[in-house]
Amino acid sequence: MCAARLVEAGHEVVVVDDLSTGHADAIPDGCKFIQADIAAAASGLLAESFEGVLHFAAKSLVGESMQDPQKYWQGNVVTSLRLLDAMREHGTRRLVFSSTAATYGEPAVTPITEDTATRPTNTYGATKLAIDHAITSYADAHGIGAVSLRYFNVAGAHGAFGERHTVETHLIPIVLQVALGQREQVQIFGEDWPTADGTCIRDYIHVTDLADAHLLALANAAPGRHRIYNLGNGTGFSVRQVIDTCRKVTGHPIPANVAPRRAGDPATLVASSQRAREELGWAPERADLEVIVRDAWDFTRLRQES
Ligand code: UDP
């Protein structure tokens, strides 16, 4: 999605992916593609001169990160250090990094600003925070212009670009699988949370708005500075509200039952993106949950037909 936006904006784009979880057919036309492990390939690749690096690659399943931390410290932190070293070695000037709301853990404040204390509650969030710290040091010492974007709940789709996981764990794709008849029902992980309807509240952000933020971040990265921005819409929706919106958009009854809480889930995560709006000039265009769900639904049906 981001690669497509970069190509549209006139950039020359090289996509590097080992395809361990990605899909070759999601690489847009107009990009050069190299199938490789970043840790092994970074130094050789960056020897050609690049304007910047957008670093998305990561292991990103919270549950797995608790059971197999080595995969996360190695795959996320060690790999990112190799990339930072390659950038230093070859003088690559700009970095945009995919950070996460999971760096904050379970803050008592809402909405969450970039000044909120970072106390990750899982290994995934801890590795992403460690990388953020490393980026701060490298930016400071080596003059790299870096931006970390802390994603809240990314959803929606754009044409053929949408969420496709071998094992789906995210709420909206799961609910839409029920609407398609691929699952019997959706499980609501707890309705005894301290929220208005008892289910967890999250801040859903459309993938195209997220992609736009990356282009703005790349353009705004300033030498020797590491800026961090939260990306969300500033409005929280409960699990029940998400399911109701999916019922409305799909016209399907979507049976739901209440299951126990999922370990590690915070009750409420809502972003303040004031800083991104002010400093990057970011203005999300698809903030409406119904629009986000409708785009995801169009993508889900498109996939089923193909
Ligand atoms: N959730 C749920 N049932 C599911 C999947 C998710 O109730 O089958 C809840 C989950 O507990 C969380 C919210 O939906 O409160 C969003 O979860 P998701 O995994 O999509 O994103 P996360 O917030 O964990 O990054």
Side-chain angles (χ1 to χ4, degrees):
M1 177 71 243
C2 239
R5 279 281 208 271
L6 286 164
V7 171
E8 275 164 30
H11 292 278
E12 261 180 70
V13 182
V14 178
V15 174
V16 185
D17 196 320
D18 64 3
L19 297 183
S20 55
T21 53
H23 308 274
D25 63 3
I27 299 158
D29 292 339
C31 299
K32 182 172 167 193
F33 173 54
I34 295 171
Q35 184 170 354
D37 176 334
I38 293 170
S43 180
L45 270 167
L46 292 182
E48 291 175 43
S49 95
F50 280 89
E51 184 189 341
V53 171
L54 291 100
H55 177 31
F56 302 94
K59 302 291 171 202
S60 62
L61 299 177
V62 168
E64 183 187 61
S65 78
M66 303 305 283
Q67 281 144 20
D68 191 0
Q70 191 269 352
K71 192 170 177 177
Y72 282 71
W73 287 102
Q74 187 72 36
N76 291 353
V77 178
V78 174
T79 299
S80 298
L81 290 176
R82 293 265 162 77
L83 180 61
L84 283 168
D85 280 330
M87 290 183 68
R88 178 177 54 87
E89 184 188 350
H90 298 295
T92 317
R93 309 309 310 163
R94 288 161 194 258
L95 172 67
V96 179
F97 173 60
S98 305
S99 188
T100 169
T103 53
Y104 295 110
E106 295 198 48
V109 293
T110 195
I112 298 169
T113 69
E114 294 80 358
D115 296 323
T116 304
T118 42
R119 296 197 189 93
T121 52
N122 54 61
T123 303
Y124 165 64
T127 62
K128 286 282 182 171
L129 182 60
I131 299 164
D132 272 338
H133 288 317
I135 292 173
T136 303
S137 311
Y138 275 68
D140 189 39
H142 306 302
I144 296 170
V147 175
S148 289
L149 300 175
R150 291 197 169 148
Y151 307 171
F152 280 62
N153 286 62
V154 186
H158 180 66
F161 303 111
E163 286 187 78
R164 284 156 65 192
H165 303 111
T166 319
V167 180
E168 191 51 75
T169 60
H170 291 118
L171 180 64
I172 293 176
I174 284 178
V175 176
L176 296 179
Q177 285 175 356
V178 178
L180 265 190
Q182 295 173 345
R183 277 177 200 256
E184 296 268 300
Q185 56 191 10
V186 55
Q187 294 192 314
I188 296 172
F189 297 147
E191 62 170 0
D192 55 351
W193 297 93
T195 61
D197 70 10
T199 66
C200 287
I201 291 177
R202 294 289 181 274
D203 184 342
Y204 295 86
I205 164 174
H206 198 290
V207 65
T208 58
D209 288 330
L210 189 82
D212 289 344
H214 286 75
L215 271 72
L216 291 167
L218 187 65
N220 278 274
R225 200 177 69 157
H226 179 207
R227 287 303 273 165
I228 295 176
Y229 299 100
N230 291 343
L231 293 180
N233 286 309
T235 313
F237 293 96
S238 72
V239 173
R240 283 206 184 279
Q241 285 175 314
V242 170
I243 297 171
D244 280 342
T245 304
C246 293
R247 287 180 177 132
K248 188 171 167 201
V249 167
T250 65
H252 190 280
I254 308 181
N257 70 345
V258 177
R261 289 182 175 195
R262 184 171 68 176
D265 265 344
T268 302
L269 286 179
V270 177
S272 163
S273 296
Q274 200 59 29
R275 185 188 280 181
R277 289 169 185 268
E278 283 171 14
E279 293 186 13
L280 299 179
W282 182 63
E285 288 174 4
R286 302 183 82 72
D288 183 344
L289 184 63
E290 219 173 293
V291 171
I292 292 175
V293 168
R294 185 167 305 120
D295 286 351
W297 179 231
D298 288 346
F299 167 78
T300 308
R301 284 183 301 172
L302 195 75
R303 293 288 316 161
Q304 209 202 18
E305 284 160 18
S306 60

